[in-house]
Amino acid sequence: MNKGTKEGTEEEIKFVKMLNSDKNHKFWEDLVPNVSNHEDFYAIHVTGKKYGKINQEKIKPKADAYIAKGHVDESYLENKGYYLDENDVALFKLKKCDFTGISIKREDSSKYQILKISPDMFYKLFGSYELGAGASIFCKFPKDLLKNQNILVGWKTDWSKIEKYFDGIKDIEKLKDTNTSPEKRLKIADELKKYSNKTIKDKICKNKELSNFIFMGIGNFEEPYTAHWVFEHGVLKKAGPEPFIVTTGSGRTHGDFTVVIKPK
């Protein structure tokens, strides 16, 4: 477990203990409104992977914690330091409360990923491998131009499909032409990348279903494993679209092809 993951888990545990030890905490009214008291509600730490419909495999869900209803013996709570996880949900037959999933951010971090998208997942969300390849293209150094062939392979496309998809970009056919100067090819690649990033961002901003998937996990996870709330820097707020940038994962040189959505 790397440092970031370890500290993130500690933050999640701290949050769960905080809520379970103080049923008068102001967050309870947000998470479970319109009830006379919150004695029969508990914060639950999500400790396992959950099935993602789009991923078609078990992955870490959007929610790090959620609320469940029922009864847990006070002595048990005290002995556990007010920490409860999904084993306790089963033990006490608690009822999971839909739409209470909480994404808990590290206190000292704003560099987390909102979503990391593989080529196949990107295709399911955006309907194109070419757009993902365009966002992943190398465009800074002449020596990297050769790597763009691997980008296309990793994104399950080829130059002819790229030229057809991006036919509005001037001289797009020269991007692969080794007889064209590296400076010219880099300029085309840079335009391609900027266009792709902008298109991805526009699609996310204009499509509520896509936005909800990316920021909250709606459409991928069952309740309560979507994130309807975010706890960050001591503040609990409603989850949803936030300022973001489109970038690539750090491993594309080594065959890890992804598009990454990060906070701006």
Side-chain angles (χ1 to χ4, degrees):
M1 182 180 289
N2 62 43
K3 179 183 177 185
T5 302
K6 180 176 182 293
E7 292 180 349
T9 300
E10 290 172 355
E11 196 79 27
E12 294 161 16
I13 293 171
K14 180 180 175 183
F15 180 87
V16 166
K17 288 182 173 182
M18 175 184 72
L19 282 186
N20 288 333
S21 63
D22 182 5
K23 292 303 178 73
N24 292 314
H25 197 288
K26 62 182 180 180
F27 291 167
W28 279 111
E29 186 56 41
D30 292 324
L31 292 166
V32 188
N34 305 319
V35 298
S36 57
N37 67 70
H38 297 95
E39 292 303 319
D40 292 332
F41 293 92
Y42 302 92
I44 306 298
H45 188 207
V46 178
T47 51
K49 294 180 178 180
K50 306 301 172 186
Y51 186 75
K53 296 176 186 176
I54 299 298
N55 307 79
Q56 295 186 333
E57 63 178 327
K58 286 190 173 184
I59 59 171
K60 190 179 187 303
K62 279 291 189 180
D64 300 305
Y66 60 84
I67 305 304
K69 184 179 182 181
H71 177 73
V72 177
D73 294 338
E74 185 64 27
S75 59
Y76 182 88
L77 263 178
E78 291 178 357
N79 287 336
K80 290 202 69 180
Y82 294 93
Y83 172 77
L84 297 175
D85 62 21
E86 295 193 281
N87 291 323
D88 300 306
V89 172
L91 179 63
F92 290 96
K93 297 179 178 168
L94 304 178
K95 181 182 177 182
K96 301 173 185 178
C97 298
D98 292 350
F99 315 119
T100 61
I102 309 149
S103 175
I104 301 166
K105 307 304 182 187
R106 279 175 48 197
E107 181 66 27
D108 62 345
S109 176
S110 60
K111 298 180 179 179
Y112 57 88
Q113 295 177 349
I114 296 170
L115 188 66
K116 185 175 182 180
I117 313 173
S118 69
D120 286 341
M121 185 179 184
F122 188 92
Y123 183 83
K124 290 176 182 178
L125 295 176
F126 294 91
S128 168
Y129 287 113
E130 289 71 42
L131 185 58
S136 303
I137 215 81
F138 286 97
C139 61
K140 289 190 178 297
F141 306 107
K143 63 182 178 64
D144 288 337
L145 285 168
L146 284 173
K147 298 177 183 177
N148 284 330
Q149 178 58 42
N150 288 334
I151 292 291
L152 269 58
V153 173
W155 278 91
K156 302 185 178 182
T157 188
D158 56 43
W159 287 116
S160 64
K161 292 176 182 176
I162 289 289
E163 290 169 15
K164 183 177 179 180
Y165 189 89
F166 297 102
D167 62 355
I169 294 179
K170 185 180 178 181
D171 296 329
I172 185 66
E173 72 281 354
K174 293 182 179 179
L175 180 54
K176 70 178 186 298
D177 183 9
T178 56
N179 292 320
T180 300
S181 70
E183 292 77 16
K184 173 70 172 177
R185 293 169 69 196
L186 286 173
K187 185 177 179 181
I188 298 167
D190 183 63
E191 185 178 352
L192 172 60
K193 190 179 190 72
K194 288 177 179 176
Y195 175 86
S196 298
N197 287 346
K198 183 180 184 304
T199 300
I200 292 168
K201 190 167 186 177
D202 287 346
K203 285 178 178 289
I204 294 171
C205 291
K206 293 176 181 178
N207 186 321
K208 186 175 182 180
E209 185 177 344
L210 181 57
S211 176
N212 283 345
F213 178 95
I214 288 171
F215 290 100
M216 302 166 70
I218 294 174
N220 202 24
F221 300 106
E222 298 289 347
E223 292 295 339
Y225 300 107
T226 59
H228 288 263
W229 296 91
V230 175
F231 178 69
E232 186 175 18
H233 304 309
V235 176
L236 182 70
K237 61 183 181 180
K238 279 282 192 179
E242 60 181 280
F244 67 95
I245 60 171
V246 179
T247 182
T248 57
S250 58
R252 59 189 168 140
T253 302
H254 311 293
D256 181 18
F257 304 104
T258 54
V259 166
V260 178
I261 310 300
K262 290 184 176 181
K264 191 172 183 178

